[in-house]
Amino acid sequence: MNQADIRILIVDDEPNVLKALTRLLKQYEPVTAISGEEALLLAEQHRFDLVISDYRMPGINGIDFLILFKRMQPDAVRIVLTGFADLEGAQHAINEAEVFRFINKPWSNLEIVNVVENGLAHKRMLLENRALADQVRAQQILLNEKEAIIKALEAEEPGITQVNWAQDGSIILDDEDLQ
Amino acid sequence: MESDKQSTERQATILLVDDESINLSVFGQFLAPYYQVLVATSGQRALQLAGGAPKPDLILLDVMMPDMDGYQVIGQLKADPKTGDIPVIFVTALTSDLEEERGLSLGAVDYLYKPCHLSILLARIKTQLELKNARDWLKDQNAYLETEVQRRHQENEAVHLQLLQSEKLAAIGQLAAGIAHEINNPIGFVNSNLNTLDSYLRDVFCVVDASNAALDEKPLSEETLQSLRELKQAKQLEYLRNDIPELIAESMEGLTRVRDIIQDLKDFAHADKNEWELGDLHKGLDSTLNIIANELKYHCTVHKQYGEIPQIYCLSSQLNQVFMNLLINAAQSIETKGDIHIRTGRADQNVWVEISDSGKGIAPENLPRLFEPFFTTKPVGKGTGLGLSVSQNIVRKHGGKIEVTSQLGQGSRFRVWLPIRPPELGAAE
């Protein structure tokens, strides 16, 4: 996930909010949608690393949108930006949509930038974590194979894995070996 | 009798009128221990004393007198509001039913014949005085009750106004979250834009400073020029040039929106603007729609079909309260998605405003209770149950009425009829 191909999606029914956030996150060249429906169409065609959505919108609301979006792109970081959320909505957001952060309107630019950076870092770490885990697993498999071969050899020729080799490739025999 | 005299709070005053002084002295001496006695030997003198102080509580009036007879005297007594309520007993030697009838018809309370038994006289006098006391007490009581009724009426009126105001505030309280959202949105992007503008300006001045420095360099080297070009490129000056005017225009629009919401809220919540004036109902409907936009816009489509209606004499802030209640009810009756139609029109000397929705409708058994105070089918926290009751009061005060038709599952239609000029405008406060 390079800085260059990070893709951010912003969803809000208020065009001026979209413009202000686009300005703020200009370096990421975010994609915008004015409704959850439009955002879902975009999500069908493009991959996103992070999505910021308003809560109260005509049509499907922000949380329901994020739940659907999560099914399509589970790895993307989900952020809710809202002027008002009731407890029920917030619970829904945390439990069902598993949002990364809840940001209140009016927001502070610094907060948004921080949350976006943290969110992306979080995602990067998750991915890295996953990649490392995969690597570990792959090596474990390799290791297991090797171990099986050694065991088979040992069974056939006991002591064959215990041979002491010298630098020049000769076999070093202990005194007890000779007795 | 002595103890009776003591027990009366005030000694009653009796005026004796007779042209024969012998009668006066006999009666006078007999009555003096019980009452304060005034005497007059002529009709004229009697009228003088009756109008003076102390005011007699009872008059014993002789009928046959020279110059002015008893009938004339009682006529004048009754004509004067100051003396009209003094009971008069005729005392006369004339013994005829006709005379007695005439005397009583003129307003006398009793009729005694001379010569008469003094104890009978005393008993009659006592009866009349008791009657008068009772009458006076009733009169006082009536006056007291009348002022009490007046006071209660005013109190009632004050409580009613307070109720109106409370209902309005309760409604606004329930809208608060939506209004906060409506205000936080523009504040959010205006604030964000200003911060962005701050960093834009830092970039612009960075380029300006570099240009100024280059200008001071003589001769201007090609390298400096090149680095200046690169700086301009890096700071995206061309982009800023286009974006800054947009940023400012959007921010200004946002602030205008906040200002309008606050103004609408102020207009709406204003309590002291309770004056009858020519009001434009369409304007009221529009500003009410602005306040509750957040309750409507996410799930309702509002269709306005305003007809040609004249301005009407009304309490516009109170009518806005009616419109708000009807619109919120309409919006809350729509569960998923629906339409609200607002129509207006004129019929003869009345105008009407109709608000209809495609919501769930009202159950027939609830229709008769619709305007009852505290009757509500909404969940806790969604309504006070006072909206329609208060609305009906307001509309009635305007000399109008609210018509309701509703069909379960189809929607409801509320039509508010208002006279262009309320009939009791003069009497209204």
Side-chain angles (χ1 to χ4, degrees), chain B residues 184-204:
Chain B
N184 281 340
N185 242 350
I187 288 187
F189 68 74
V190 168
N191 184 51
S192 174
N193 282 344
L194 277 180
N195 279 309
T196 306
L197 186 61
D198 184 46
S199 76
Y200 280 3
L201 288 178
R202 253 179 280 136
D203 287 350
V204 169

Side-chain angles (χ1 to χ4, degrees), chain B residues 223-238:
Chain B
E223 285 149 42
T224 312
L225 215 56
Q226 186 55 35
S227 71
L228 204 55
R229 279 196 200 99
E230 277 163 15
L231 186 66
K232 261 180 76 180
Q233 194 70 34
K235 297 297 184 188
Q236 295 179 294
L237 229 51
E238 278 315 300

